[in-house]
Amino acid sequence: AERKLKLVGELVHAIDLHPFASFLTTLNILFMVLPLYAVARKQDPDFTVDLHVFSTDSLENPETTPAEQIPMFTQMNSRIQLGADSHERFRKIMNMKFDRIFGNPPWGGVLKGHLAPVYDTAKKQHFTKAFPNAAQGKYDVYGLFMERALQLLKPGGKFALITQGTYIDKEWAKGLRRLLATETELTHIIDLNPFGQLFFNAMNSPCITATVNTHSPTSGHCVCVISEQTKDFHGLKTPEKRELVVRTAALVVAECATKKHAQELFAAGTRVSRKYLRDTAADRWDLTGGAGKTVFPEGWFTAADLLEMRQGVTPGGCLDVFLMDKNKAELLELEDDLVHKAIKSKQLVRWRVEWKDLMLFYPYECRGKKAEPAFTIDWEDISNKALIDRLTKVGIKDALDFDVQIDSRETDIVRSGGINNESVKQLLKHRISLGIVRFPRCAEYLVESYERLHGRVFEKKKFTDLGKCWYEYHRPRDPQIMLGKPRILSPTLMREVRFIVDSVGYLSDHACLMIQPTKKKMRAWEDLHEQLNQLAGRNLARKELLQYCLAFMNSRYAQERLVTGHRPTPKGSYAITEAYLAEIPIPVPSHKKDVIKIIELVKGLERSVFELASSDEMSAMEDRLQTLVDETLATVKV
């Protein structure tokens, strides 16, 4: 019994940042070995077990970090007190190499302010050097633990970690994917995406990753399992649901030992070649190994070749100031140039927009080829040379920049009352009289909320400290793209394809995507335009080309690609990404009549929606369009 207990003490090591978690781990280990401990203590009352369980930051390097090391989670400063003796023991342990590492690391993005696990600039710089593969872009902290595990493993050692599954397809994780694909032999990736709430009482996307640490991975396969939303839980209690998930995933893994594909209830497994994972590490990992993907004939375009996608805008707080209904905008008589029709993702229905009278105050405009904040001073509108000289001298560029006073009148206003909601109204009235404020009604509306808008903070900085004027958006995106039309709109997340052509210029937040030809895509777009023009025998308008693309983006094939090889969110939706658009072909048909028919049918569907055509008429029209799309795609080489 003593020998076994000493082995536990020598071989098992556990580290957690939180002292209480470390205490619970100690208890759990003791409970497991309690029968042995009772025997040993009976023979030797002085016998004790020395467990290597520590409360410290395992991401730190004890060789270079003093005992008073900075903890990763600042909010726990008062609870972490690592004495010199414990720190020395920890230093020795971290110089060891281990056979097995397993655990459930913390997760959370690094760019979310004080509540994020990592927000300190110095800490971020440290992690970038210590974990160069995982600490990239807007990374999630769990990725650092995956890289740390490999640093602590012996050659041939294995880790199995429960993390979020976002590293499979997120941009920030391409370095981590490359590390796992080239420096290890991945054995299992078990995606439990829909079951975060079931197992962790959180809407995360759990995933089990198991791999072998080796610098020369062999060929072979990784067993990948994708889980989907299920109705098989009917009548089951929570423990029974968990047991069913575990049993089903284990059964699929076992079947994949002898079969390339396996399917049980809500789980589908595939043996994916490690070479495939290496080849696609820079993009994303398709856990089906590319199942069902097609190779398009040379000369075919994809939606990604022709169109670039951009997320909608992010005001950055005070949404009630910017978002309003149509009646309020009309009552306030706000200038139309800055108030645009707005939508939410639920209002994007296949072929159409169901606008709900929402308006968004968007304080930006396009002047020629340049997009600027709406109250940027337009020097050509000012005829008074003395005023221009004065504005230039004080260095004011925005008519609503009240931190700079133009003349003695403004200096007196600020001296007597400071800069607040009341004084800025007087400053604005004065500036309107000077003729430097474009859109005065919108300006008057904004200054009513001056203190709220001016007080917004992002990453510990006010908007004005970020080089923005107090009324601006956190992420206005490119106003030329946000206000461009026509273009294609889509939800960022959806279960069924529902793209629409937007001729109005609706604005939305990041839950919607603006998809359109840009300068970056112009060569391919012009090639398609020229080829379709030749077939149609006339110059097709931009909207007609978008309608042609829409036929393929709303097709059965596009729906099939949406749900195949892509991981759903915990709620069962799928993300629209550049990689997904690259899977949607936009071929050029062989006959003129097909081009015209496809465009006319899409026009008919859009028109029928607004004319409230019957569902049977709509279905018949969609069937005719789908037949044309299928015939055009029939030459695809599988």
Side-chain angles (χ1 to χ4, degrees):
E2 285 188 10
R3 284 198 301 272
K4 291 180 180 178
L5 289 169
K6 286 178 180 179
L7 280 175
V8 171
E10 291 172 7
L11 300 183
V12 178
H13 304 72
I15 303 170
D16 197 287
L17 185 66
H18 201 298
F20 189 64
S22 300
F23 170 70
L24 290 179
T25 300
T26 303
L27 289 183
N28 283 334
I29 294 175
L30 288 175
F31 281 137
M32 293 172 69
V33 299
L34 197 56
L36 293 172
Y37 188 62
V39 171
R41 290 278 291 184
K42 186 175 182 180
Q43 297 297 323
D44 180 2
D46 295 328
F47 177 79
T48 59
V49 179
D50 187 16
L51 297 176
H52 290 131
V53 181
F54 291 96
S55 173
T56 189
D57 185 348
S58 61
L59 292 181
E60 291 294 344
N61 183 351
E63 289 289 348
T64 58
T65 307
E68 62 272 16
Q69 61 175 309
I70 303 171
M72 187 179 73
F73 300 96
T74 303
Q75 62 264 37
M76 294 181 182
N77 278 343
S78 61
R79 299 184 220 164
I80 299 178
Q81 297 176 351
L82 188 62
D85 179 63
S86 294
H87 182 76
E88 178 61 19
R89 294 175 67 194
F90 172 59
R91 185 187 65 78
K92 291 179 180 178
I93 287 172
M94 288 296 98
N95 284 329
M96 297 171 61
K97 296 293 184 180
F98 294 88
D99 297 289
R100 301 286 186 272
I101 292 177
F102 53 93
N104 174 208
W107 51 271
V110 297
L111 298 175
K112 297 180 182 177
H114 288 270
L115 294 180
V118 183
Y119 65 87
D120 181 75
T121 301
K123 200 71 171 178
K124 290 178 186 178
Q125 292 173 347
H126 164 64
F127 283 154
T128 300
K129 295 178 181 178
F131 309 104
N133 298 286
Q136 297 183 11
K138 299 178 182 179
Y139 65 87
D140 194 300
V141 69
Y142 74 79
L144 308 183
F145 286 89
M146 298 180 86
E147 187 165 355
R148 181 63 156 155
L150 292 176
Q151 294 171 357
L152 295 174
L153 278 176
K154 293 178 180 178
K158 302 176 182 179
F159 82 56
L161 299 176
I162 302 175
T163 69
Q164 291 210 87
T166 50
Y167 81 91
I168 293 170
D169 46 28
K170 292 293 185 181
E171 172 70 15
W172 69 262
K174 62 182 180 182
L176 180 60
R177 288 193 295 271
R178 184 166 52 248
L179 175 68
L180 292 172
T182 58
E183 301 291 322
T184 80
E185 286 187 354
L186 284 159
T187 59
H188 297 84
I189 300 175
I190 314 299
D191 172 40
L192 300 173
N193 204 334
F195 305 122
Q197 195 68 43
L198 177 63
F199 284 100
F200 299 101
N201 296 316
M203 288 305 294
N204 58 350
S205 52
C207 178
I208 301 170
T209 306
T211 194
V212 181
N213 187 31
T214 173
H215 295 299
S216 54
T218 63
S219 57
H221 297 84
C222 173
V223 174
C224 299
V225 178
I226 296 178
S227 303
E228 297 179 349
Q229 289 281 345
T230 179
K231 297 180 180 179
D232 297 312
F233 287 161
H234 182 68
L236 298 181
K237 297 179 180 179
T238 296
E240 295 171 328
K241 292 177 182 178
R242 291 174 177 166
E243 183 183 350
L244 178 61
V245 171
V246 172
R247 188 170 63 248
T248 302
L251 185 58
V252 169
V253 169
E255 289 180 7
C256 283
T258 56
K259 299 191 297 186
K260 183 171 177 58
H261 301 287
Q263 176 78 49
E264 294 290 340
L265 299 178
F266 45 79
T270 305
R271 283 193 294 171
V272 178
S273 78
R274 295 192 185 110
K275 181 180 183 304
Y276 178 81
L277 296 177
R278 286 195 296 273
D279 293 343
T280 59
D283 180 16
R284 68 174 184 86
W285 280 344
D286 177 351
L287 298 190
T288 68
K293 279 191 176 180
T294 54
V295 178
F296 305 133
E298 185 176 352
W300 279 31
F301 302 100
T302 69
D305 295 330
L306 302 166
L307 307 165
E308 188 171 2
M309 50 183 280
R310 300 287 180 88
Q311 284 187 330
V313 300
T314 305
C318 300
L319 184 60
D320 59 308
V321 175
F322 297 108
L323 189 64
M324 63 191 77
D325 61 38
K326 181 183 176 183
N327 290 337
K328 180 179 178 179
E330 291 177 347
L331 185 64
L332 293 169
E333 297 181 346
L334 301 179
E335 288 90 350
D336 292 340
D337 289 354
L338 302 188
V339 183
H340 306 268
K341 290 184 176 181
I343 53 170
K344 296 185 177 180
S345 59
K346 290 183 180 179
Q347 293 158 13
L348 291 177
V349 184
R350 191 178 172 91
W351 310 112
R352 74 188 189 278
V353 173
E354 292 183 340
W355 182 52
K356 301 294 184 181
D357 288 340
L358 285 178
M359 306 294 290
L360 190 67
F361 188 129
Y362 184 59
Y364 297 89
E365 64 168 348
C366 299
R367 301 180 186 176
K369 294 183 178 181
K370 190 176 181 182
E372 295 179 327
F375 297 96
T376 302
I377 295 174
D378 191 339
W379 304 104
E380 294 181 359
D381 287 348
I382 305 175
S383 57
N384 187 332
K385 187 176 184 304
L387 178 58
I388 292 176
D389 291 341
R390 180 62 184 164
L391 295 173
T392 304
K393 183 177 180 180
V394 299
I396 189 169
K397 297 180 180 179
D398 193 294
L400 299 193
D401 180 2
F402 300 121
D403 291 331
V404 180
Q405 285 75 60
I406 297 174
D407 51 27
S408 59
R409 167 68 178 148
E410 294 196 352
T411 302
D412 290 342
I413 292 172
V414 173
R415 184 182 293 120
S416 63
I419 302 177
N420 52 46
N421 274 356
E422 295 307 315
S423 62
V424 294
K425 293 177 185 177
Q426 299 177 56
L427 293 171
L428 175 62
K429 186 175 181 181
H430 176 61
R431 293 186 181 187
I432 291 174
S433 69
L434 293 176
I436 66 172
V437 180
R438 307 181 75 213
F439 316 114
R441 294 292 297 169
C442 284
E444 290 168 354
Y445 172 71
L446 282 173
V447 298
E448 291 288 341
S449 304
Y450 172 79
E451 290 181 27
R452 285 184 63 203
L453 293 168
H454 192 277
R456 291 176 294 165
V457 174
F458 178 74
E459 286 196 338
K460 301 184 286 186
K461 292 184 178 181
K462 287 188 175 182
F463 277 28
T464 49
D465 296 331
L466 295 170
K468 297 175 180 287
C469 203
W470 57 273
Y471 62 83
E472 288 195 64
Y473 278 17
H474 170 43
R475 291 193 179 97
R477 310 299 180 189
D478 182 347
Q480 288 184 306
I481 291 179
M482 294 298 103
L483 298 174
K485 56 184 180 183
R487 73 280 183 85
I488 290 175
L489 297 181
S490 119
T492 305
L493 298 170
M494 56 188 177
R495 299 185 183 188
E496 296 182 350
V497 288
R498 44 193 176 103
F499 297 93
I500 66 108
V501 171
D502 168 29
S503 300
V504 174
Y506 295 101
L507 280 177
S508 182
D509 61 11
H510 62 275
C512 288
L513 297 171
M514 286 72 174
I515 306 173
Q516 56 200 300
T518 61
K519 187 176 181 180
K520 179 180 174 182
K521 307 287 184 178
M522 197 50 61
R523 177 175 293 183
W525 178 257
E526 289 176 349
D527 285 348
L528 175 69
H529 194 180
E530 183 179 348
Q531 292 183 48
L532 291 182
N533 282 348
Q534 289 178 357
L535 276 173
R538 63 179 177 85
N539 185 30
L540 296 172
R542 172 177 163 134
K543 181 178 179 180
E544 291 178 309
L545 262 69
L546 290 170
Q547 289 168 328
Y548 180 82
C549 294
L550 195 69
F552 295 90
M553 296 171 74
N554 275 341
S555 67
R556 278 195 295 259
Y557 183 82
Q559 176 64 30
E560 177 189 328
R561 294 317 310 160
L562 178 69
V563 300
T564 303
H566 299 141
R567 299 170 57 254
T569 66
K571 292 187 177 181
S573 297
Y574 295 86
I576 304 304
T577 64
E578 289 281 351
Y580 169 63
L581 293 183
E583 296 181 42
I584 304 177
I586 312 290
V588 176
S590 304
H591 304 289
K592 169 184 175 179
K593 63 178 183 179
D594 292 339
V595 176
I596 302 302
K597 281 184 181 179
I598 287 173
I599 293 173
E600 290 303 317
L601 281 169
V602 173
K603 288 180 180 179
L605 285 165
E606 294 173 343
R607 188 165 52 248
S608 297
V609 167
F610 292 107
E611 292 174 357
L612 300 178
S614 70
S615 58
D616 289 342
E617 291 173 326
M618 290 284 294
S619 296
M621 213 176 307
E622 283 192 305
D623 288 343
R624 291 199 298 274
L625 178 60
Q626 185 61 56
T627 298
L628 275 173
V629 168
D630 289 343
E631 289 174 353
T632 306
L633 294 175
T635 57
V636 169
K637 299 176 182 178
V638 179

